[in-house]
Amino acid sequence: MTTPTTSTADPIDDCVHCGFCLPACPTYVSWSEEMDSPRGRIYLMKGLRDGQTAWDATVAGHFDKCLGCMACVTACPSGVRYDALIESTRAAREAAVPRAAGDALFRGLVFALFPFAGRLRIVGLLLWVLRLSGIRAWLHKSRWLARRAPRLVQLDGLAPDRSPSDLLRALPSRTAPAGPSRMRVGLVAGCVQRVFFPEVNEATLRVLAAEGCDCLVPEDQGCCGALSLHSGRREEAKAFARALMRSFDDTGADVIVVNAAGCGSNLKEYGRLFEDDAEWRERARIFSAKVRDVSELLNDLPARAPRHRVEGRVAYHDACHLAHAQGVRLQPRRLLEAIPGLSLREIPNGDQCCGSAGTYNLFEPESANEIGLRKVESVLRAGADVLVSANPGCTLQIQRLLQARNIRLRAMHPIEIVDRSLRGEPLGRP
């Protein structure tokens, strides 16, 4: 995270309107519209604060179109905390401008599903039944659903095909270390990660255990609140955060490990989320101080388990909430570069967002598709056999757009490739 270099009373005033953020902003790149750039949105924030601008649907729309990718935070020479500004502005937007009935209903559906792993499993099982019955294919072919509920089609397109056995896989509450214990680690299993990418959590536990970590996974843990917070649902996010922190109370964990970029950036900001809450402020600060992305932790631990040769060309995708929000760029690359035989390819314009941005590709599908197609073109130019991504939302977004073009490119989390190396398994084995 970029450290502010200015100290004005209001962080809005830290912006000097230099324009360094413009080429970094995906929506500005798409439309060259000033009000759809970080600088323009900050100008709107200032107008709202000073009473020179009033909330209406147009103003609200400019904030809705922001991905919250934080590329501007990296680009800004003045250290403007755009992440905090857009977060508070979105909360104000939700209070100030009522959403249309259809939009409100769809958003309610999303937030009634995504933060709850149990409900996601039910949806996954339903999609599996619809796929086996042929109903899912018929709905797409007939375009009946596309004409009546295009956002549901977008939602369905993002959902990966998983079998019931995959959807119902459970993690062990404790995974003992191989050899003497080096530290006690608590794993945040996530929501989408836990249901649709269980193999990532399993690989994380195996690698950490092989490196001497005593791994604990609280069974009662829920959502971290990231999706809610990034959509202006601040109180809902705080409720999720309190419950998650409570679930780790009895673990005695030295480190809280996360393997999903969006969750990690949120977990590290719990201290700021609760800065005005006297009861939870210190507890949140202590919790956040323990949070590490799995690549950060493994880079700090001298490798104990031997790496075996893995042949293949991999393109590493910088998830925005890992690279821009957390400043974690080198660590995943170092993990991959340490694997003998692996060829790491850089993605051209790799610091640009893929268009997923949490729920953005559901709420702003046209913009997300335009941004995502630019990313897909860049990924293909890298000439890799495998796309490597440390965030489930990015993986789902890029895979959906590739499949729409009938292109198959395998996607894996960096920790899965490390796991293959430790176990001496080839990259191509499913």
Side-chain angles (χ1 to χ4, degrees), residues 28 76 90 93 156 160 190 205 213 294 339 404 408-409 415 429:
Y28 184 82
C76 181
R90 280 190 161 147
R93 179 259 181 270
D156 174 72
L205 293 175
C213 297
V294 64
I339 297 174
R408 296 184 63 85
L409 178 64
I415 200 68
R429 179 177 173 180

Side-chain angles (χ1 to χ4, degrees), residues 315-334:
Y316 176 72
H317 161 67
D318 276 300
C320 293
H321 279 85
L322 193 60
H324 297 307
Q326 299 181 58
V328 176
R329 296 179 178 83
L330 294 178
Q331 295 92 329
R333 288 175 168 83
R334 286 172 178 163

Side-chain angles (χ1 to χ4, degrees), residues 11-32:
I12 289 176
D13 295 323
D14 288 343
C15 178
V16 297
H17 303 281
C18 65
F20 277 82
C21 60
L22 299 183
C25 176
T27 52
Y28 184 82
V29 170
S30 290
W31 311 315
S32 298

Side-chain angles (χ1 to χ4, degrees), residues 362-382:
L362 298 175
F363 299 150
E364 300 289 340
E366 291 183 7
S367 174
N369 288 346
E370 183 175 352
I371 294 165
L373 288 173
R374 292 200 297 265
K375 173 61 72 171
V376 164
E377 293 293 340
S378 295
V379 167
L380 293 176
R381 287 202 300 273

Side-chain angles (χ1 to χ4, degrees), residues 55-231:
W55 278 108
D56 60 21
T58 300
V59 171
H62 289 303
F63 295 120
D64 285 347
K65 288 181 173 66
C66 173
L67 294 98
C69 68
M70 305 310 148
C72 55
V73 175
T74 298
C76 181
S78 300
V80 176
R81 287 299 302 269
Y82 183 82
D83 52 342
L85 291 173
I86 192 63
E87 177 188 303
S88 60
T89 301
R90 280 190 161 147
R93 179 259 181 270
E94 293 301 319
V97 184
R99 293 191 177 275
D103 188 22
L105 181 63
F106 181 71
R107 287 171 181 265
L109 172 66
V110 168
F111 289 108
L113 290 177
F114 277 72
F116 303 97
R119 298 175 191 178
L120 281 178
R121 287 192 175 98
I122 293 172
V123 171
L125 290 169
L126 177 61
L127 291 173
W128 177 77
V129 170
L130 291 175
R131 178 169 59 85
L132 283 188
S133 67
I135 295 175
R136 195 175 176 189
W138 175 82
L139 286 171
H140 283 279
K141 186 176 180 179
S142 69
R143 297 194 61 78
W144 179 88
L145 192 61
R147 290 192 298 269
R148 288 160 177 80
R151 280 178 158 185
L152 286 179
V153 173
Q154 184 88 344
L155 180 60
D156 174 72
L158 286 166
D161 291 328
R162 303 306 304 248
S163 68
S165 59
D166 287 335
L167 292 167
L168 298 175
R169 276 152 74 170
L171 292 170
S173 58
R174 178 173 181 263
T175 302
S181 177
R182 302 164 88 176
M183 65 173 59
R184 198 170 177 85
V185 170
L187 175 67
V188 177
C191 302
V192 172
Q193 193 85 290
R194 193 183 330 180
V195 176
F196 292 119
F197 298 97
E199 61 278 3
V200 174
N201 282 332
E202 293 165 359
T204 300
L205 293 175
R206 284 194 295 267
V207 172
L208 290 175
E211 294 295 358
C213 297
D214 189 2
C215 303
L216 302 160
V217 185
E219 296 178 7
D220 61 340
Q221 67 174 289
C223 179
C224 71
L227 295 181
S228 300
L229 185 64
H230 298 157
S231 294

